[in-house]
Amino acid sequence: MRLRALLENDALGLRLLGGDEELDRSVRGVMTTDLRDPSRYLTGGELVLTGLAWRRDAEDSEPFVRILAGAGVAGLAAGEAELGDIPDDLVAACRHHRLPLFAVHETVAFATITEYVVRQVSGERAGDLAAVVDRHRRLMTSGPTGGGPEVVLDLLGSDLDLHAWVLSPTGRQIAGAGAPLPAAAGAELAGLHLAAVRSGRRAPHRAALGGTTYSLFPIRNNGRGGAVPPARDVRESVLSDWLLAVEADAGDWPAARLDLLQGVTQLIAVERDRRDAARTVRRRLAQEVLELVQAGAAPAEIAARLRVATPVLLPGLGTAPHWQVVVARVEWDGDGASEVRGGPVAQALLEEILVDPAVTGPDSADRIAVAHTGDEAIALVPLPAAPDRPDDEASGTGSDTASDEDPGADGHGEGPALHADALLAAVRAPLSAGLGDDGRLTLGVSASVHSAEGLRGALEEARHARRVAAARPGRVCAAGHHELASHVLLLPFVPDDVRRAFTARLLDPLREYDRRHRAELIPTLEAFLDCDGSWTRCAARLHLHVNTLRYRVGRIEQLTGRDLARLEDKLDFFLALRMS
């Protein structure tokens, strides 16, 4: 809108005190302030409303107006309620800096002016952007050259001053215009969105984070790309749908703007369908290899399929990679749980989990091939062979021995093998929100193998690791192959009554003492065992004097009748803590 429109509305009762020649300036927003220096909150094009509380004497007007002019505001409207007539020094300063100045009668509320400006600006911008989005819709639906989600987000920023990001269900940034959203903020917004969807609340969902308000719009995967059939139950889509996070409060938006944002999500959904359709080749490769492995096909036949998969998943790689198998299962309880298709949910979710969270963009999953059978999803993950190790080509004649330990611990990237805990570290919180009180995700990771003959063993290893994870408490659990050769393999299968009796005998006296005296004996015991019984390291970790630590350990021994200098008693305490 133009500044002169303010004078054309008699209900606002504004008087122009200066700046007649500047009334064609565009107004992009409105801000009320009584700060002496509001520059940090100005972006240009605003109508600034002020009650003049910042003015103590005539000398204050010049610097205040200079700041507004330097920020590129459209005009200044000063209220008469505080001082009566607008001071001459303010009129002179505005004239000097060519800043239009309006007087606001004491009977007119700033909220009335704000509402009028917001309504006018929003309506005009929505109309302009709707035309642009319509052109972009035709571009995107006519072929793959539409520019992707970033183009639509750029339009939101340039035409509506809206900062927005497309996020995956785990909070990973798929697309954005301008500064990226911090990873922690993305994960938290995704968790809030998933919780709102599971509760059945109507979108858009409002979220306040770090003093900033966001509006969250779901981007439905309608399956038109051919990769994913339409969902029959919200649980079939909640863990795979993208979302649009907009840095604004949509609660007061007019219906036209809400409709516009829904149109934007539909545009992005088209792009999502196209990306899913492109994944079909990788999914088919994984399905073919999986069927051969499960059918007990000859290693040479499996190796031939792997040679086909390698150029697709790792283009340009001259040698065959090592492989890891990851198995995931999503299970639901409650009404209608048996009707929810778990396999496609686990497949889409595993494709997301296996993406490095530090990588942005929708094409970062190009190395991942995931199949599903029944309620189980199985990923075939290529790992380029380490350059200092001879690489046995996947011919079926090489060794099928799994590596004794993963060559890396970061869970992602080329070279280092996947670690179960690292895979879930960044996504556990949002996924738990999406699973709610009736869902559960369990995941198992095999060791790496470097031959076709080793894949069958890797698949069984990953499945067994997943069963170990399933025996643990929690909504999101994982286990790796390294846990299958330790006490961790045995603990989940201890009968519940034996588990309760064993832990109660050792730990209940300590818990009761902690409850009555706040002595922190249980945390002390955990730290002491974790430090291998080292007094100095444990005291440093707990920020205690060594004598205080000795007193606490002595109290533990007194209450339980055990001796923490004996290996057997240390082992019993260790197992009790693990099973509790």
Side-chain angles (χ1 to χ4, degrees):
M1 62 171 288
R2 304 294 179 181
L3 271 177
R4 66 176 65 257
L6 296 171
L7 297 174
E8 295 169 357
N9 188 330
D10 294 336
L12 299 181
L14 297 180
R15 292 185 297 112
L16 182 66
L17 301 182
D20 307 59
E21 67 282 3
E22 304 291 339
L23 290 180
D24 284 327
R25 290 187 180 186
S26 296
V27 180
R28 299 175 55 196
V30 61
M31 189 190 83
T32 301
T33 184
D34 274 311
L35 295 175
R36 297 169 69 86
D37 182 2
S39 57
R40 72 181 70 178
Y41 305 109
L42 298 172
T43 58
E46 297 93 346
L47 172 68
V48 175
L49 306 176
T50 180
L52 300 177
W54 49 267
R55 183 183 178 278
R56 297 169 186 168
D57 54 48
E59 302 298 324
D60 293 335
S61 293
E62 166 62 26
F64 180 78
V65 174
R66 183 173 65 251
I67 289 171
L68 298 188
V73 304
L76 174 65
E80 296 178 327
E82 181 77 15
L83 302 178
D85 292 337
I86 305 303
D88 292 339
D89 48 272
L90 180 59
V91 176
C94 288
R95 184 180 300 112
H96 174 72
H97 290 283
R98 303 178 63 84
L99 183 65
L101 175 63
F102 300 86
V104 182
H105 194 271
E106 61 181 6
T107 61
V108 178
F110 282 178
T112 301
I113 301 173
T114 299
E115 182 181 356
Y116 173 78
V117 172
V118 169
R119 190 186 309 117
Q120 294 298 313
V121 171
S122 298
E124 292 174 5
R125 287 180 180 167
D128 293 342
L129 184 60
V132 178
V133 169
D134 184 63
R135 291 196 300 272
H136 189 70
R137 178 183 288 110
R138 292 195 295 270
L139 254 180
M140 290 187 73
T141 55
S142 64
T145 59
E150 288 83 359
V151 174
V152 183
L153 300 184
D154 282 336
L155 294 176
L156 288 178
S158 61
D159 286 62
L160 285 182
D161 292 331
L162 292 177
H163 300 291
W165 302 266
V166 178
L167 304 178
S168 76
T170 65
R172 182 175 59 89
Q173 182 172 317
I174 303 295
L181 192 67
E188 190 166 351
L189 288 176
L192 294 171
H193 171 75
L194 291 173
V197 172
R198 288 304 315 276
S199 69
R201 298 208 307 270
R202 185 176 180 180
H205 308 123
R206 184 179 183 276
L209 195 65
T212 303
T213 300
Y214 298 87
S215 295
L216 310 176
F217 296 80
I219 300 173
R220 305 294 186 192
N221 188 331
N222 54 34
R224 282 179 284 186
V228 181
R232 301 170 299 175
D233 187 301
V234 67
R235 291 173 291 187
E236 292 184 352
S237 62
V238 66
L239 295 175
S240 59
D241 283 343
W242 290 354
L243 68 134
L244 177 66
V246 181
E247 190 179 317
D249 188 349
D252 297 326
W253 282 3
R257 178 174 281 206
L258 286 174
D259 290 344
L260 175 63
L261 265 292
Q262 294 296 345
V264 168
T265 64
Q266 292 170 12
L267 287 180
I268 298 172
V270 172
E271 184 69 9
R272 170 68 190 271
D273 290 341
R274 184 177 292 125
R275 304 283 181 177
D276 279 346
R279 283 185 176 180
T280 303
V281 173
R282 299 194 299 276
R283 287 175 169 175
R284 187 180 299 122
L285 285 172
Q287 195 73 41
E288 291 173 354
V289 173
L290 173 63
E291 290 173 356
L292 289 174
V293 170
Q294 294 190 125
E301 186 177 0
I302 299 174
R305 295 298 175 95
L306 289 178
R307 283 195 292 271
V308 173
T310 299
V312 175
L313 300 178
L314 290 172
L317 188 69
T319 57
H322 290 70
W323 301 89
Q324 272 186 285
V325 176
V326 183
V327 174
R329 191 179 185 94
V330 175
E331 299 170 293
W332 303 97
D333 300 324
D335 297 339
S338 60
E339 302 297 323
V340 180
R341 297 171 298 194
V345 178
Q347 181 182 42
L349 193 54
L350 189 52
E351 286 172 335
E352 172 62 25
I353 290 173
L354 290 173
V355 177
D356 187 340
V359 176
T360 61
D363 293 323
S364 53
D366 285 348
R367 288 178 43 197
I368 299 165
V370 183
H372 76 81
T373 172
D375 288 335
E376 186 180 67
I378 301 169
L380 188 66
V381 183
L383 301 171
D388 57 341
R389 291 190 299 180
D391 182 49
D392 298 323
E393 187 148 343
S395 61
T397 59
S399 170
D400 63 348
T401 307
S403 61
D404 292 335
E405 62 181 39
D406 294 334
D410 62 358
H412 295 95
E414 295 189 351
L418 304 173
H419 272 244
D421 291 338
L423 286 175
L424 296 181
V427 302
R428 180 173 275 106
L431 291 185
S432 296
L435 291 165
D437 295 329
D438 58 350
R440 193 152 191 262
L441 166 68
T442 51
L443 183 144
V445 181
S446 78
S448 62
V449 295
H450 52 278
S451 73
E453 195 172 6
L455 279 179
R456 183 174 181 83
L459 175 59
E460 291 306 314
E461 189 174 55
R463 281 175 166 163
H464 195 63
R466 192 207 65 78
R467 288 193 289 271
V468 171
R472 295 172 173 166
R475 289 288 167 194
V476 181
C477 298
H481 66 92
H482 58 283
E483 299 182 62
L484 304 184
S486 74
H487 66 279
V488 176
L489 176 62
L490 304 176
L491 295 185
F493 305 103
V494 176
D496 287 343
D497 54 345
V498 175
R499 181 194 301 263
R500 285 191 296 267
F502 183 75
T503 58
R505 186 164 54 249
L506 277 175
L507 302 183
D508 278 4
L510 306 182
R511 290 174 178 144
E512 177 63 21
Y513 191 87
D514 280 349
R515 186 185 65 80
R516 288 187 287 110
H517 301 283
R518 298 182 180 179
E520 298 188 355
L521 295 185
I522 292 289
T524 300
L525 175 61
E526 291 175 334
F528 186 73
L529 295 176
D530 194 44
C531 292
D532 298 322
S534 169
W535 296 98
T536 54
R537 281 196 290 125
C538 183
R541 175 180 295 189
L542 297 175
H543 305 290
L544 298 174
H545 192 279
V546 173
N547 289 341
T548 304
L549 176 61
R550 291 185 184 278
Y551 172 80
R552 288 188 182 180
V553 170
R555 180 63 68 182
I556 292 171
E557 293 173 336
Q558 180 184 19
L559 291 170
T560 60
R562 300 299 186 103
D563 182 359
L564 277 168
R566 297 178 67 248
L567 176 61
E568 294 86 347
D569 288 343
K570 286 181 182 177
L571 181 59
D572 284 347
F573 277 123
F574 176 80
L575 293 174
L577 289 169
R578 284 298 181 95
M579 288 192 293
S580 63

